[in-house]
Amino acid sequence: MTRIPLAGVIGNPIAHSKSPQLHQHWLKTYGLPGFYIPMDVVSDDLEHVLKTLPKMGFVGVNITVPHKEHVMQIADLITDRATLIGAANTLIFRKDGKIHADNTDGYGFIENLRQGAPHWDPKSGPAAVLGAGGAARAVVAALLDVGVPEILISNRTKVRAEKLQDDFGKRLTVVDWVQAGNMIEEASLVVNTTSLGMMGKPELRVPLDGLQKSAVVTDLVYAPLKTRLLLEAEKQGCTTVDGLGMLLHQAVPAFERWFGQRPEVDSAARTAALR
């Protein structure tokens, strides 16, 4: 008897995750055996849990807040992009017993942009990135990889933005948070990687009147789907891309590795994730 492949997502908390609905939708759509399970695991138990899961039939897991950095110390093999970002969101449990760590967040970010703003040309001008946390690191790595000439980055705590500049090099320019509105005026792409604007969080208060009409504006926040940033950008004639697509696209390579089928990111997948 072959074992039914199991996968899941580990975080703390985890009840809010949309990944289980998405993966179960794909399993059902393609008629594949398997289950995808949310698991609330505290940091002290993470290593023990990860070593135990393969014995239970797990083929891999997604990792979310607050464990994305911690898993880097537990994994046996780490991809170059996960090393560069300093965090992993996808683990593959190999048949030889090794844990393989990857980061598909940057891939998901770029694929979401390509789907939502197909006319966007990475080389068309600078990108303005708000925030300097783990999500920003994935976004910056991905933007540099596709050839964005310059990244202007601003964070409420300037030293964190400077750390990104140290790690990623001279194509990054750090801008004071109070000057973030001016930074946006130069950008052909504007990305919010902060949690500002999310339900239950303060609004993003950066002035947006300088947005270029030709700019593409995207927000990693997807609850609400239309943040104030996206609503304002739409009013000014910009192309906007919501954050849900990044969640959907980052799941594609993981699902393919675990279950052997490359899934489609379509309107049915979006609907499933929003259930």
Side-chain angles (χ1 to χ4, degrees), residues 10-270:
I10 292 177
N12 178 237
I14 202 60
H16 65 283
S17 175
K18 297 190 182 303
S19 295
Q21 296 105 281
L22 173 65
H23 285 270
Q24 286 300 145
H25 160 75
W26 280 336
L27 285 165
K28 191 175 168 192
T29 299
Y30 299 109
L32 299 170
F35 294 93
Y36 185 99
I37 301 149
M39 292 171 277
D40 196 326
V41 177
V42 296
S43 196
D44 286 351
D45 294 337
L46 185 63
E47 185 163 2
H48 176 66
V49 167
L50 290 176
K51 296 281 165 68
T52 306
L53 288 176
K55 298 170 188 167
M56 297 160 61
F58 277 80
V59 290
V61 287
N62 286 126
I63 299 290
T64 189
V65 177
H67 303 314
K68 286 185 174 187
E69 287 89 17
H70 185 183
V71 292
M72 300 285 280
Q73 297 155 29
I74 299 167
D76 302 296
L77 303 160
I78 300 169
T79 63
D80 290 346
R81 59 185 176 181
T83 302
L84 184 65
I85 294 162
N89 73 330
T90 302
L91 301 183
I92 298 117
F93 300 142
R94 291 172 24 142
K95 288 194 169 59
D96 63 5
K98 288 188 162 61
I99 296 175
H100 185 234
D102 193 8
N103 193 312
T104 65
D105 282 333
Y107 165 85
F109 171 75
I110 294 294
E111 288 303 307
N112 186 36
L113 268 186
R114 285 182 172 145
Q115 189 173 41
H119 67 281
W120 175 66
D121 174 9
K123 297 177 176 63
S124 62
V129 175
L130 301 161
R137 292 184 69 87
V139 164
V140 165
L143 289 174
L144 293 174
D145 194 44
V146 295
V148 170
E150 184 188 8
I151 297 175
L152 309 166
I153 189 159
S154 191
N155 191 54
R156 285 168 291 179
T157 314
K158 190 177 180 185
V159 68
R160 292 193 73 181
E162 288 169 342
K163 174 80 170 79
L164 259 74
Q165 188 183 40
D166 290 344
D167 291 348
F168 287 98
K170 60 183 185 299
R171 277 155 71 191
L172 266 68
T173 303
V174 176
V175 177
D176 283 325
W177 188 249
V178 291
Q179 298 296 323
N182 299 347
M183 165 180 95
I184 282 169
E185 291 175 18
E186 299 174 50
S188 59
L189 173 70
V190 177
V191 188
N192 175 39
T193 73
T194 75
S195 61
L196 296 171
M198 191 187 284
M199 283 175 190
K201 301 274 184 178
E203 283 292 355
L204 178 68
R205 301 230 172 266
V206 171
L208 303 171
D209 45 344
L211 275 171
Q212 298 180 36
K213 269 198 176 59
S214 59
V216 174
V217 180
T218 185
D219 201 325
L220 270 50
V221 170
Y222 58 79
L225 270 181
K226 288 277 178 86
T227 59
R228 178 179 160 264
L229 169 65
L230 297 184
L231 290 169
E232 286 289 322
E234 265 178 19
K235 271 187 207 157
Q236 295 188 47
C238 300
T239 302
T240 63
V241 182
D242 68 48
L244 182 65
M246 178 174 166
L247 175 84
L248 305 180
H249 283 284
Q250 63 81 30
V252 168
F255 187 91
E256 184 178 21
R257 282 174 194 167
W258 299 331
F259 300 113
Q261 166 85 42
R262 191 164 185 85
E264 283 289 313
V265 174
D266 54 16
S267 58
R270 279 182 72 92

